[in-house]
Amino acid sequence: MNLNTSHANHHSFILTGIPGMPDKNPWMAFPLGLLYTLTLVGNGTILAVVKADQSLHEPMYYFLSILALTDVSLSMSTLPTMLSIFWFNIPEIGFNACITQMFFIHGFGVVESGVLVSMAFDRFVAIRDPLRYASTLTHGIIGKIGLAVLTRAVCVVFPVPFLIKRLPFCHSNVLSHSYCLHQDAMRLACASTHINSLYGLIAVILILGLDVFIILFSYILILKTVLGIASRAERLKSLNTCLSHICAVLLFYVPLIGVTMVHRFGKHLSPVVHMLMANIYLLLPPVLNPIVYSVQTKQIRRRIIQVFQRRKNRA
């Protein structure tokens, strides 16, 4: 395939598996399949447990269910091209299909950030005013928060397909990753990408940067409230309820910041580094979040153990 096609017939991109080692792509098929399976099983278990156990019908677990749904959706956004490359050795993706995937990957990324902010607010309300916790975060309020998070994500990512489609692509059409990202595709354009870069920077600062600030501010208020509790045991108990959320925040934002920095300032780095950072950002949180919440949250852990014991007794 001629990689230097003109804009007139430049209707597809070539995705990259393992940079410089396409013959090694089949070796990634099994571990990737395992990661996607763990994502589906782990998040599916969280959703099933929350639905089945009436004692888990509380705001914290509703937000956890939204996080699980978002993780599954984010993983499924990358699954088609991952399977195409590593399982079937078909690296080509149509231009419109690439833009569609790009929209969903970035969209669910913004949704996940918003959900983590919502969960920080949930922890603040639970610790600051526990007696009014359930009456403050009613089903209606949680639904409105979820709708607001989704609407914000759609509005933020909606211009991205149009910003990409306006660009002429007359250079190489080989992308750096196994899926389509805005910052990866725009570097292949043979026209100025200042508008795309500026919009991406503004979105990162105003959306993700603001979300991080809100989460940090929420935990400052939480810490202030916890320090005002007289009993040391109660202080530890209150902080322990935040531990799973803190892990989820770190699992999402640390790789995100890393991949953003690598794309903007790490052009001299090996393509393998770019590939690893991008895959860690999209594949690791959906796998680890259910594990973190299952280990750290006593109610979920107890319910999962009960399910396995019942199955063992039936066998």
Side-chain angles (χ1 to χ4, degrees):
M1 181 178 294
N2 182 13
L3 299 182
N4 293 317
T5 52
S6 65
H7 179 54
N9 58 12
H10 193 81
H11 296 309
S12 64
F13 288 111
I14 304 299
L15 299 166
T16 300
I18 303 176
M21 295 180 287
D23 57 311
K24 303 296 184 183
N25 284 345
W27 290 95
M28 289 293 294
F30 177 75
L32 282 173
L34 180 62
L35 284 176
Y36 281 110
T37 301
L38 289 174
T39 296
L40 291 173
V41 171
N43 288 287
T45 300
I46 294 291
L47 291 170
V49 166
V50 172
K51 181 181 179 180
D53 194 334
Q54 291 289 331
S55 66
L56 299 181
H57 291 184
E58 298 179 2
M60 172 184 174
Y61 302 106
Y62 289 136
F63 283 119
L64 177 57
S65 298
I66 297 173
L67 179 66
L69 285 172
T70 305
D71 279 337
V72 170
S73 301
L74 187 58
S75 293
M76 292 303 99
S77 298
T78 62
L79 179 63
T81 51
M82 287 285 197
L83 288 178
S84 176
I85 294 171
F86 295 105
W87 285 76
F88 304 110
N89 195 29
I90 304 174
E92 186 173 4
I93 182 173
F95 186 81
N96 289 328
C98 184
I99 291 177
T100 301
Q101 185 184 50
M102 187 186 303
F103 176 84
F104 282 109
I105 289 176
H106 291 295
F108 284 120
V110 176
V111 169
E112 179 138 356
S113 182
V115 173
L116 291 173
V117 172
S118 304
M119 295 175 82
F121 175 70
D122 166 78
R123 291 298 83 209
F124 169 71
V125 174
I127 293 173
R128 186 67 177 267
D129 198 359
L131 296 179
R132 298 178 58 189
Y133 174 53
S135 61
T136 300
L137 291 174
T138 61
H139 290 180
I141 295 297
I142 294 172
K144 289 178 182 178
I145 291 174
L147 182 60
V149 167
L150 181 61
T151 302
R152 184 188 71 155
V154 172
C155 292
V156 169
V157 183
F158 184 75
V160 170
F162 300 99
L163 290 173
I164 287 293
K165 292 198 77 167
R166 72 181 183 87
L167 295 174
F169 292 91
C170 51
H171 298 314
S172 169
N173 62 346
V174 180
L175 296 172
S176 303
H177 307 303
S178 308
Y179 40 80
C180 297
L181 296 176
H182 173 244
Q183 58 268 39
D184 191 24
M186 73 177 184
R187 70 178 179 82
L188 301 179
C190 52
S192 173
T193 59
H194 290 314
I195 294 177
N196 295 64
S197 297
L198 182 62
Y199 184 80
L201 182 62
I202 291 173
V204 168
I205 293 174
L206 293 185
I207 302 301
L208 301 181
L210 181 61
D211 286 354
V212 171
F213 173 78
I214 293 173
I215 291 173
L216 288 175
F217 184 68
S218 297
Y219 272 99
I220 290 173
L221 296 178
I222 288 172
L223 188 59
K224 182 180 178 181
T225 302
V226 169
L227 291 176
I229 300 174
S231 170
R232 182 174 181 272
E234 287 296 321
R235 289 201 298 267
L236 292 175
K237 183 179 178 181
S238 297
L239 289 174
N240 189 57
T241 64
C242 301
L243 188 57
S244 299
H245 179 253
I246 292 172
C247 291
V249 168
L250 293 176
L251 283 171
F252 178 76
Y253 286 109
V254 171
L256 173 60
I257 294 170
V259 75
T260 302
M261 298 297 289
V262 165
H263 267 289
R264 292 194 175 274
F265 307 109
K267 294 180 175 61
H268 62 286
L269 296 174
S270 167
V272 176
V273 175
H274 287 258
M275 183 270 291
L276 285 174
M277 287 300 301
N279 286 341
I280 288 172
Y281 156 57
L282 287 177
L283 299 179
L284 207 59
V287 173
L288 294 183
N289 279 339
I291 297 174
V292 168
Y293 274 94
S294 298
V295 171
Q296 292 292 334
T297 308
K298 181 174 65 176
Q299 293 89 332
I300 292 178
R301 185 173 67 249
R302 185 178 65 241
R303 179 66 180 181
I304 292 174
I305 292 172
Q306 288 175 352
V307 170
F308 279 107
Q309 286 177 340
R310 288 175 185 173
R311 290 184 177 179
K312 184 178 179 180
N313 293 334
R314 289 175 183 173

